[in-house]
Amino acid sequence: MSGFVVIEGIDGCGKSTVAETVAGRLGPRAVLTREPTDSWIGRAVRKGGSEEMSPYLDALLFMADRANHTPEIADHLANGKVVVCDRYYHSTVAYQTAYLMRKSRGDNFDWLLDANIRISINPDVTFLLTIDPEVALGRIGDRGELSRFERADFLKEVQDNYLRLAEQDPTIVQIDSTRPPGEIVEEILLALDERKF
Ligand code: TYD
């Protein structure tokens, strides 16, 4: 069966390793993809991250990348694939709500969610990898220099926004990602199996 699976969580939660392993275990019927993408707009998003710019432009760049990426996901689904996506629209709602709040632009959660739903495909299931931001930060620390997103207090706000999304969306499944990645992968594969993927 085709299906759209999203893996989400704060930086350092281990989602990229988990997404890669889950897609690998599903075999050739699975397609692994990610956001920000590797397209020209995805590269613009990454470039923007290193510059001082309007926090609204920041949000809109991530969304432009998504608007460009979504038809590609739709094509894979139409071809009967299981698409495993490392980050999708929940990332923008979680991160950009936190970022806009920090930049004194108030609470932008509702319009970011509305606008993103319009430009996105509804995932069949989203696995939200939750973790203590201090622990996540310790993991990122091993990978070198921290980006502006990668600070514990910011990551806590981001995770709170993810949890706010999970409260109103039953297709979001929370996974405790303090455990070893192998265990998380097994839990996700079991959940996919139960959903007949
Ligand atoms: P990430 O997938 O973690 O890339 P990398 O493997 O290079 O670390 O994404 C990069 C950063 O972009 C990460 O801190 C989360 C952030 N981000 C947003 O703020 N909004 C979004 O919509 C997306 C997709 C990512």
Side-chain angles (χ1 to χ4, degrees):
M1 187 182 107
S2 79
F4 186 24
V5 180
V6 172
I7 315 279
E8 285 280 4
I10 59 174
D11 300 57
C13 73
K15 76 187 163 39
S16 298
T17 311
V18 166
E20 250 173 65
T21 316
V22 166
R25 289 276 296 274
L26 290 173
R29 67 200 176 101
V31 174
L32 176 66
T33 185
R34 66 191 302 254
E35 292 188 3
T37 68
D38 295 322
S39 71
W40 65 272
I41 184 80
R43 287 196 298 276
V45 171
R46 288 179 195 281
K47 185 166 184 289
S50 61
E51 283 173 21
E52 200 50 50
M53 62 179 184
S54 153
Y56 288 115
L57 177 56
D58 180 59
L60 293 169
L61 281 175
F62 282 113
M63 290 165 65
D65 188 34
R66 182 158 309 120
N68 192 47
H69 187 206
T70 295
E72 211 181 285
I73 295 171
D75 284 349
H76 288 307
L77 293 174
N79 288 330
K81 298 287 186 184
V82 176
V83 177
V84 178
C85 193
D86 176 355
R87 294 196 182 284
Y88 197 47
Y89 76 78
H90 322 77
S91 283
T92 300
V93 181
Y95 279 84
Q96 275 58 57
T97 297
Y99 191 51
L100 282 158
M101 184 68 86
R102 290 217 156 190
K103 294 285 176 181
S104 310
R105 301 310 202 273
D107 186 356
N108 286 267
F109 183 94
D110 287 338
W111 84 260
L112 282 172
L113 178 57
D114 278 358
N116 272 283
I117 284 176
R118 279 175 193 272
I119 61 166
S120 303
I121 295 170
N122 272 340
D124 292 298
V125 58
T126 297
F127 294 101
L128 171 59
L129 273 51
T130 57
I131 188 168
D132 178 339
E134 295 285 357
V135 175
L137 205 57
R139 292 183 182 172
I140 298 165
D142 298 334
R143 295 210 306 241
E145 205 185 318
L146 301 186
S147 83
R148 72 190 157 106
F149 290 117
E150 294 168 337
R151 282 170 281 129
D153 52 347
F154 180 73
L155 291 182
K156 185 184 176 311
E157 290 162 28
V158 172
Q159 184 156 269
D160 286 347
N161 291 328
Y162 272 127
L163 295 173
R164 200 169 155 190
L165 278 171
E167 261 169 36
Q168 48 184 258
D169 183 348
T171 67
I172 299 178
V173 176
Q174 291 181 49
I175 305 264
D176 169 15
S177 77
T178 319
R179 296 164 308 147
E183 270 181 40
I184 299 168
V185 167
E186 294 308 327
E187 188 173 333
I188 290 177
L189 287 171
L190 192 66
L192 291 177
D193 199 46
E194 281 166 0
R195 287 170 175 76
K196 311 272 181 261
F197 274 86

